[in-house]
Amino acid sequence: MHDTPKVRPGVRLRPVRPAGWWFDVLLVVGFVAITVSLATGHLFGLDRAVDEWAAAHRPPAAFTAAMVLNYLGQGGPLTAIGAALAVLLAVRLRSVRPLLVPVAAFALTTFTVGPLKVWTARPAPSASVKEPFLPVEQTLPLFQSDLPLRFAQSYPSGHVANAIVWYGVLALLLAPVLRTFGRGLPHRVVLAVRIVPPVVVLCTTTYLGWHWLTDSVAGLLVGLLLDRILHRVPWDTLPLPGRLRTVDRPFTSAP
């Protein structure tokens, strides 16, 4: 008798909320609309008004608190924490699959947010009060390719986009890690991990004058889109090369 070959279940995208692709399209349309508006000289008044209000309401205590809270959006530490959780989960499950998540998140943000910043070439609000000391009116437009690259990478906000993506990664990995220790993670805690830090980062980065309001909103739209892409990936059923099948165990659905 011949052995019956094993058939791998069909690879299906994981569900996200809101369901369907309409919300993804809405995020893209929103980002394009803001970008076109800025490119044609609109929304500058809104950005100026928010920045001027923030500058006029920045007492030392609030400034210090905002600085500290903004560290929640630091890409380096978030990447390290995400990678550490993935390694821990991979070791405990003896599976390579958890490692795919931070690798994919790093690649996705690197090849989207970074190029968008270079392409749009917009200075930050602070570029008028520190090097390169631009006139305020010159800090607002997009596509200022004549400026050195380090002075024109404000749009969209990488802090906000990265915070959404990486806290989504942490939420995706944290529950399986705790399950390997016999502990659960309430759904409301998962939601808090995914929502609260990005909102804090959006507010503080705008309040501190490190980004225009439209930079932060654009970062929010891009981050949500990337987060939905990552959470759609069927991590447990993605086909793996032959050598990795010896360490191929699911983690998102593992007991």
Side-chain angles (χ1 to χ4, degrees):
M1 293 183 62
H2 296 286
D3 292 335
T4 303
K6 295 181 180 180
V7 179
R8 176 177 288 275
V11 177
R12 295 183 179 180
L13 297 180
R14 300 174 70 231
V16 293
R17 293 183 180 179
W21 295 94
W22 66 269
F23 192 70
D24 303 73
V25 173
L26 191 62
L27 293 172
V28 173
V29 170
F31 177 76
V32 171
I34 294 175
T35 305
V36 170
S37 296
L38 292 171
T40 54
H42 296 85
L43 299 179
F44 291 172
L46 174 63
D47 278 338
R48 284 283 300 275
V50 171
D51 184 62
E52 289 172 358
W53 181 91
H57 296 81
R58 239 182 247 148
F63 179 82
T64 301
M67 285 277 291
V68 172
L69 290 172
N70 194 256
Y71 280 107
L72 289 171
Q74 292 294 319
L78 285 176
T79 303
I81 295 170
L85 278 179
V87 170
L88 175 61
L89 185 57
V91 170
R92 291 190 64 79
L93 292 179
R94 297 180 182 176
S95 172
V96 72
R97 289 189 177 275
L99 302 177
L100 303 177
V101 181
V103 171
F106 182 80
L108 197 57
T109 53
T110 299
F111 291 107
T112 54
V113 179
L116 283 172
K117 285 175 166 291
V118 174
W119 174 59
T120 54
R122 189 189 200 191
S126 57
S128 65
V129 295
K130 62 181 183 180
E131 195 178 6
F133 298 103
L134 301 173
V136 174
E137 295 74 16
Q138 193 180 342
T139 60
L140 289 157
L142 272 60
F143 307 121
Q144 299 194 49
S145 56
D146 55 323
L147 289 174
L149 184 60
R150 68 184 185 278
F151 297 135
Q153 296 191 57
S154 186
Y155 182 90
S157 168
H159 265 65
V160 175
N162 286 329
I164 293 171
V165 170
W166 283 103
Y167 281 102
V169 167
L170 297 186
L172 183 63
L173 295 171
L174 189 57
V177 166
L178 291 177
R179 282 201 299 269
T180 66
F181 290 96
R183 298 179 179 273
L185 187 66
H187 182 62
R188 62 180 179 274
V189 176
V190 175
L191 285 178
V193 170
R194 295 188 65 182
I195 295 173
V196 174
V199 170
V200 170
V201 171
L202 186 151
C203 294
T204 55
T205 199
T206 306
Y207 175 73
L208 291 167
W210 293 348
H211 282 286
W212 300 108
L213 175 63
T214 50
D215 298 341
S216 297
V217 173
L220 172 69
L221 298 175
V222 172
L224 287 174
L225 180 63
L226 300 182
D227 177 76
R228 286 172 66 83
I229 291 172
L230 287 170
H231 279 78
R232 273 196 173 96
V233 175
W235 301 108
D236 289 346
T237 56
L238 280 177
L240 294 177
R243 291 183 179 181
L244 296 181
R245 290 174 190 166
T246 58
V247 283
D248 178 2
R249 293 185 60 188
F251 70 96
T252 64
S253 57

